[in-house]
Amino acid sequence: MELTKTVFGTYEGKDVHEYTLTNSKGVSISAMPLGATLTKLVTPDKDGKKENITLNVESLEDFVTHRPFYGATIGRVAGRITKGKYSLGDKEIQLDVNEGNNLLHGGPKGLDTKLWDVEANEDEGKLSFNYESPAGENGFPGTMQITVTYTLTEANEWVIDYTATTDETTLFNPTNHVYFNLAGDINKPILNHELELASRHYVPLAEENLPGGNLESVEGTPFDFTVLKPVKDAVLSDHPQIKPLNGLDHPFVLDQKDEVKARLYDSESKREVKLFTDCNSVVVFTHNGEVDDYTIDGGPAKQYAGITLETQTLPDAINQPGFGNIILKPEETFRSRTTYEFGVRN
Ligand code: G6D
């Protein structure tokens, strides 16, 4: 494994470095300590052409100013929390809201906005990001010690390991907000990418993109990805859950019996990503609008420029019975692993 380190920008007067790990097959991951953020992911296509297959900001300023979440670690709680509050026993906790009356992606100063400590281990192909989140940050109780470790393996896997502890009962449900574009060219929309999900239920969205609180079968709907099919078959459908959003932004419940939780494939480049995770869900968001507040690869971030596979416990779980447990107690250690495996399938 080869490790390189370059200055990506400055933040609060400090240099922020981009660390790049490259394996013997030429696959590389790059990441920075601001938001423990993936900044590039390079893999070969069918002809061995190595290209970045993720959406990333061009500058630290854009990342800080516009908070696009590209490749960022999201938390303490990913997704939306209704009215930014929850009840635990006889306590009602009001968090800091940052999207209308709701909390999105950890709140106004989520983990993606924080400068983490970083330890790089070239021999083991690991980047370990550590952050102490003080009690009360974004309204969450408890001081947390959070570690996110990125490992690049010789089997072309990006392994994400989360561990966290707290000194007071709190909530924790992190994800990585990576957007894939397997064409290696963000001017090629992901509409022709093919997706397969080990999922027979999804969560319809209610007002304000909040989870609706129930599970719907995917059978007979555009949400059925139980067999590999083009993303556009769903994204361009007139389904009442999709048309208003111009695409997907939905949680899918993952079948625990299937080892491979998702497959994303681009028939032109022949690149394929396989997803493995211990999480009970994955949020698929298809970048449904063009964003011209900043540029990526010299142009606006176009509609359908990328697709996320955000693994997590179902959003708003603390307020939705049956969605899973995101409560972390002082005597517990949170552990979760998500792996993206990259290859070419002819
Ligand atoms: C929008 O609703 C979507 C979110 O799911 C996504 O994470 C965010 O944009 C980047 O708010």
Side-chain angles (χ1 to χ4, degrees):
M1 205 66 69
E2 180 196 355
L3 172 69
T4 57
K5 175 182 174 183
T6 57
V7 175
F8 188 70
T10 54
Y11 183 67
E12 295 178 347
K14 294 179 187 170
D15 279 349
V16 176
H17 291 88
E18 181 179 61
Y19 297 76
T20 299
L21 288 165
T22 305
N23 71 12
S24 63
K25 308 208 181 69
V27 172
S28 67
I29 60 170
S30 302
M32 66 169 174
L34 184 59
T37 298
L38 181 86
T39 51
K40 262 193 284 306
L41 198 160
V42 173
T43 73
D45 70 358
K46 65 184 186 305
D47 302 318
K49 186 179 178 186
K50 297 183 182 68
E51 295 165 305
N52 177 25
I53 60 168
T54 58
L55 301 192
N56 323 99
V57 290
E58 286 173 338
S59 73
L60 206 61
E61 290 71 24
D62 284 346
F63 186 84
V64 172
T65 307
H66 302 293
R67 209 180 169 195
F69 301 116
Y70 291 160
T73 294
I74 306 294
R76 294 188 187 184
V77 175
R80 291 172 172 84
I81 295 179
T82 302
K83 300 250 186 288
K85 66 181 176 184
Y86 65 95
S87 297
L88 214 48
D90 58 356
K91 283 187 184 175
E92 182 171 282
I93 309 285
Q94 179 62 59
L95 304 169
D96 299 348
V97 297
N98 61 317
E99 189 185 60
N101 297 320
N102 306 313
L103 174 141
L104 172 66
H105 290 343
K109 292 290 182 190
L111 295 179
D112 61 293
T113 70
K114 303 299 180 184
L115 200 54
W116 297 52
D117 295 327
V118 54
E119 295 166 30
N121 184 321
E122 185 171 21
D123 294 339
E124 294 184 14
K126 290 182 186 295
L127 298 172
S128 284
F129 298 97
N130 303 283
Y131 177 66
E132 178 176 284
S133 175
E137 193 164 64
N138 296 289
F140 289 97
T143 294
M144 290 191 70
Q145 305 297 333
I146 305 167
T147 299
V148 178
T149 300
Y150 295 161
T151 303
L152 175 66
T153 72
E154 286 296 338
N156 297 340
E157 300 160 313
W158 170 33
V159 184
I160 308 175
D161 286 306
Y162 301 94
T163 57
T165 57
T166 181
D167 65 0
E168 188 187 340
T169 297
T170 191
L171 305 183
F172 194 58
N173 184 22
T175 193
N176 186 284
H177 211 299
V178 58
Y179 288 79
F180 291 109
N181 184 319
L182 304 186
D185 175 357
I186 63 157
N187 294 308
K188 293 179 181 173
I190 48 89
L191 294 172
N192 288 321
H193 280 33
E194 295 170 60
L195 179 65
E196 181 180 1
L197 295 173
S199 174
R200 285 169 295 161
H201 294 89
Y202 76 101
V203 177
L205 301 181
E207 292 300 313
E208 301 169 295
N209 284 345
L210 290 164
N214 62 308
L215 306 184
E216 287 288 340
S217 171
V218 302
E219 195 171 349
T221 79
F223 292 93
D224 187 344
F225 287 96
T226 52
V227 175
L228 196 70
K229 77 176 184 186
V231 168
K232 65 184 174 186
D233 289 5
V235 165
L236 302 182
S237 84
D238 290 333
H239 190 283
Q241 272 285 320
I242 296 174
K243 189 72 177 167
L245 300 177
N246 293 316
L248 297 173
D249 190 8
H250 294 78
F252 288 80
V253 180
L254 292 172
D255 291 342
Q256 293 311 306
K257 67 179 179 3
D258 298 275
E259 187 190 7
V260 180
K261 303 299 184 196
R263 279 195 311 134
L264 184 66
Y265 178 67
D266 172 44
S267 58
E268 196 174 321
S269 66
K270 304 285 188 222
R271 288 190 177 99
E272 181 181 55
V273 178
K274 288 181 184 173
L275 172 67
F276 306 81
T277 185
D278 52 23
C279 294
N280 73 5
S281 82
V282 62
V283 170
V284 179
F285 177 49
T286 49
H287 202 280
N288 300 324
E290 176 165 306
V291 179
D292 52 13
D293 302 340
Y294 50 83
T295 56
I296 44 178
D297 285 359
K302 293 182 177 167
Q303 187 180 39
Y304 312 131
I307 180 171
T308 72
L309 296 171
E310 302 160 70
T311 58
Q312 57 200 266
T313 297
L314 282 166
D316 206 21
I318 190 62
N319 292 315
Q320 307 286 356
F323 272 31
N325 174 38
I326 64 167
I327 297 168
L328 183 64
K329 297 175 180 172
E331 63 273 18
E332 299 169 336
T333 297
F334 174 92
R335 295 184 196 286
S336 179
R337 170 173 285 191
T338 286
T339 298
Y340 299 97
E341 179 190 300
F342 306 97
V344 167
R345 185 166 59 82
N346 290 306

